[in-house]
Amino acid sequence: MAEPFIHRLRVRYAECDPQGVLFNANYLAYVDHTITELWRAAYGGYTAMLDRGIDIVVAEASMRFLGSARFDDQVTIEARVTNIGTTSVTTSYRFLREGELLLEAALRHVFIDRATAAKTPMPEWARDGLTPWLVQQTSEPA
């Protein structure tokens, strides 16, 4: 099985809600930050993908909350590519604090032509860049 892409973030005070825990919407922002770093490792950065005429849009997102991160906690985020389809990629995330699982999340991004915003097949360079973090390949509709 492929090793996950690892990204670490420290919870900032401004990201917490009145209960002193990381506000729920910020978990999705952390996922976005992590996938930006995954894109950097896979393609040389998000801008490198845009320069090739390709962009991505979120088609689906899910999150399952199991615990709470608090101010100044260091959160380790494990990202995996769980499916590479014809026009989309699905990634999964595990948020951990000192080994305790806090959140499980999954996103499906669809590749689009940057100029037209039309759905487009995933280029081979994109597949190749994501393959090191692919944990399983399943069939997926275009």
Side-chain angles (χ1 to χ4, degrees):
M1 178 182 285
E3 292 295 317
F5 176 83
I6 303 293
H7 186 58
R8 291 179 178 84
L9 292 169
R10 190 166 296 280
V11 177
R12 296 175 297 184
Y13 181 78
E15 298 166 331
C16 294
D17 62 19
Q19 291 84 25
V21 299
L22 180 61
F23 180 63
N24 59 57
N26 285 323
Y27 284 93
L28 195 52
Y30 280 23
V31 167
D32 186 65
H33 195 271
T34 302
I35 202 165
T36 297
E37 294 306 317
L38 175 60
W39 262 220
R40 187 179 324 284
Y43 309 137
Y46 188 77
T47 303
M49 183 175 63
L50 295 176
D51 290 344
R52 290 177 158 178
I54 299 294
D55 202 350
I56 55 170
V57 294
V58 174
E60 293 180 55
S62 68
M63 296 187 298
R64 183 170 169 240
F65 295 87
L66 303 164
S68 300
R70 297 182 174 280
F71 168 64
D72 209 35
D73 283 350
Q74 181 169 288
V75 178
T76 299
I77 304 164
E78 298 176 347
R80 293 173 172 85
V81 176
T82 57
N83 189 64
I84 297 176
T86 304
T87 60
S88 67
V89 61
T90 305
T91 50
S92 68
Y93 305 84
R94 289 173 23 105
F95 284 57
L96 302 145
R97 179 190 53 225
E98 297 179 4
E100 177 189 1
L101 182 60
L102 302 176
L103 179 112
E104 295 174 324
L107 264 72
R108 185 170 62 89
H109 284 87
V110 173
F111 284 75
I112 63 170
D113 180 282
R114 185 177 181 202
T116 66
K119 184 166 65 169
T120 189
M122 183 188 303
E124 282 304 312
W125 57 262
R127 292 175 186 283
D128 293 344
L130 294 171
T131 299
W133 298 282
L134 179 63
V135 293
Q136 75 183 51
Q137 179 70 51
T138 60
S139 61
E140 176 184 324

